[in-house]
Amino acid sequence: MLKKILPYYLIFFAFNAIEGGEIYSLKSTYEIEVVLEGTDQSSIKEGMKRSLSSLLINLSGTSLVLDDKAIKGIINSPEVYISQYKLDTVDEKIVASFIFQGDSLRSYLSENELPLWIAEEPLVLSYFPCREAEYESSYDNELIHCIEMEKDLLNLSKSRNSRITRPLMDLKDIRDLEFLGSISAERFMTKMSKRYGADNWLICLTKDKFGLSMDSPSCFSSENKRPSSLEITFNYLLNEINLKKSLIVDRDVINESQIEVIGIDSFMKLEKVLQTLDSQILIFNISLKELEGNSANFSLSHYGSKVDLKNLLMIHSDFKEIKFKSQDIISYKYTNT
């Protein structure tokens, strides 16, 4: 039975590892589903609160945002940010689907100088040594617990908009494990992360240094070497990863920057560029200065520095920066066809 279960999770891991690529915090709307205790107003309100809390963690990139006084305020009035909702029954459970408006939530974060996570889903290399146990009956319980831990990790990863991958454990990986694993799990994972192109890693041990099973897994990561539970370790890791790719809008700092966008060969594309620029959280005014051939020059009034503006546009898939010697005008190629 156990051997039949394993391939499913291998496929699940592979699928989870290649999905992604969209900037989550820049979407126009968000549909969040939660299971409700009932259909009464109190249960629906509680579902709204849980949905909004989950969404705010992913918009800001950190679970610590829920401790902020300004966030505690809007969570008590979640209906203000919901445009519509519906109730359904799935597998005899009441499931609510809430639609949130992205612009209003981003504005609230910026007005309160809270972070906005502006990066693609991070990739985390995970390794559970218990996964390497032999497929013998004496190891069945250990493998079952290990599979459950993998499932928990996938659920955590999904809830935090991240991707999970794991080493192949081929002959090269096994050789490195035998050489480095006995010395330092940290050194082993650091080497593995370089091989698999993942800057971030997480490892969970189920046995102590004497080979005896522990009551609960001991996990640590590339951002925190202090052992803790899987959930605490993973959330801390994601908070630290996302912090490096977050933007805090300072509305007291106002600038004007000139940008050039090439690849505009129709008025439809010009309209798309204007709409895309207008949707960026830092930009509050756009002026078209010049239109010649397939090139357009814009003047952008925005919050924050020119570096903040460049960092924001850099992660947008529609714009590819073109580097010239002169940095007076930031140049981009519009790639959305």
Side-chain angles (χ1 to χ4, degrees):
M1 177 65 181
L2 186 60
K3 293 182 180 180
K4 294 179 181 179
I5 297 174
L6 293 177
Y8 170 77
Y9 285 104
L10 288 175
I11 293 171
F12 197 5
F13 258 101
F15 179 78
N16 188 263
I18 61 176
E19 284 291 289
E22 183 180 14
I23 307 301
Y24 183 84
S25 63
L26 301 181
K27 293 171 65 175
S28 57
T29 60
Y30 300 89
E31 183 173 0
I32 310 295
E33 292 186 351
V34 293
V35 176
L36 302 183
E37 294 294 328
T39 58
D40 57 284
Q41 288 301 311
S42 177
S43 297
I44 294 173
K45 180 70 174 282
E46 181 60 31
M48 288 179 175
K49 289 182 178 181
R50 286 190 284 120
S51 296
L52 181 56
S53 297
S54 173
L55 179 55
L56 287 169
I57 289 174
N58 284 324
L59 287 178
S60 65
T62 174
S63 59
L64 300 179
V65 75
L66 299 183
D67 296 329
D68 190 273
K69 185 184 295 185
I71 293 300
K72 290 179 179 179
I74 67 168
I75 287 177
N76 287 327
S77 303
E79 61 277 0
V80 175
Y81 298 91
I82 295 174
S83 59
Q84 58 180 298
Y85 75 89
K86 60 182 179 181
L87 303 181
D88 200 356
T89 302
V90 180
D91 296 331
E92 299 183 352
K93 295 179 180 179
I94 303 170
V95 177
S97 177
F98 301 105
I99 306 295
F100 293 88
Q101 296 302 311
D103 287 342
S104 57
L105 287 172
R106 283 189 289 272
S107 295
Y108 190 86
L109 289 174
S110 66
E111 287 167 3
N112 289 277
E113 297 187 6
L114 292 168
L116 180 70
W117 174 51
I118 53 169
E120 295 182 356
E121 296 177 346
L123 179 66
V124 177
L125 178 70
S126 71
Y127 177 58
F128 299 160
C130 59
R131 196 62 178 73
E132 309 307 320
E134 297 291 338
Y135 295 164
E136 298 178 4
S137 58
S138 59
Y139 290 94
D140 278 5
N141 286 336
E142 183 179 353
L143 279 173
I144 289 172
H145 289 312
C146 206
I147 289 172
E148 286 301 313
M149 189 162 57
E150 286 184 343
K151 184 178 179 180
D152 290 341
L153 176 59
L154 288 172
N155 289 333
L156 286 169
S157 174
K158 183 179 179 181
S159 70
R160 291 298 305 268
N161 284 320
S162 59
R163 296 175 292 147
I164 300 296
T165 189
R166 55 190 295 263
L168 296 173
M169 294 313 295
D170 55 14
L171 292 176
K172 178 174 173 52
D173 289 347
I174 293 173
R175 184 171 64 248
D176 290 336
L177 176 63
E178 291 175 347
F179 179 69
L180 295 173
S182 59
I183 302 173
S184 168
E186 179 184 342
R187 287 178 61 184
F188 170 70
M189 290 303 297
T190 300
K191 186 166 185 177
M192 288 298 96
S193 64
K194 291 178 181 178
R195 181 184 181 191
Y196 291 96
D199 296 328
N200 314 288
W201 55 261
L202 176 145
I203 184 172
C204 290
L205 305 177
T206 57
K207 294 182 178 180
D208 60 22
K209 61 182 180 179
F210 302 108
L212 300 176
S213 296
M214 295 185 288
D215 293 334
S216 58
S218 178
C219 304
F220 55 99
S221 73
S222 50
E223 291 292 341
N224 187 8
K225 310 307 186 296
R226 181 178 299 174
S228 190
S229 69
L230 173 61
E231 183 174 1
I232 291 175
T233 301
F234 186 77
N235 277 323
Y236 184 90
L237 174 62
L238 264 291
N239 289 350
E240 293 300 304
I241 293 172
N242 294 342
L243 180 62
K244 300 170 186 176
K245 298 288 185 178
S246 294
L247 176 70
I248 296 179
V249 180
D250 187 348
R251 291 179 175 265
D252 292 330
V253 178
I254 296 177
N255 275 298
E256 185 170 317
S257 298
Q258 311 298 315
I259 74 166
E260 177 188 32
V261 180
I262 65 172
I264 304 176
D265 52 16
S266 67
F267 283 106
M268 184 178 293
K269 280 193 178 180
L270 176 61
E271 186 177 7
K272 285 184 178 180
V273 169
L274 286 168
Q275 289 176 347
T276 303
L277 290 174
D278 187 54
S279 68
Q280 305 306 301
I281 191 168
L282 289 180
I283 300 171
F284 60 85
N285 189 49
I286 307 171
S287 297
L288 175 62
K289 294 297 184 181
E290 185 179 6
L291 183 62
E292 183 177 353
N294 70 342
S295 173
N297 287 349
F298 301 93
S299 177
L300 307 179
S301 299
H302 60 90
Y303 300 111
S305 66
K306 181 180 289 189
V307 173
D308 292 331
L309 177 65
K310 287 183 66 175
N311 288 341
L312 179 63
L313 294 178
M314 183 176 64
I315 54 89
H316 203 291
S317 59
D318 288 352
F319 297 99
K320 182 179 180 181
E321 185 178 1
I322 303 172
K323 295 185 179 181
F324 293 120
K325 291 182 180 179
S326 174
Q327 293 300 312
D328 293 335
I329 296 180
I330 313 170
S331 298
Y332 297 91
K333 180 179 179 180
Y334 184 64
T335 60
N336 189 338
T337 57

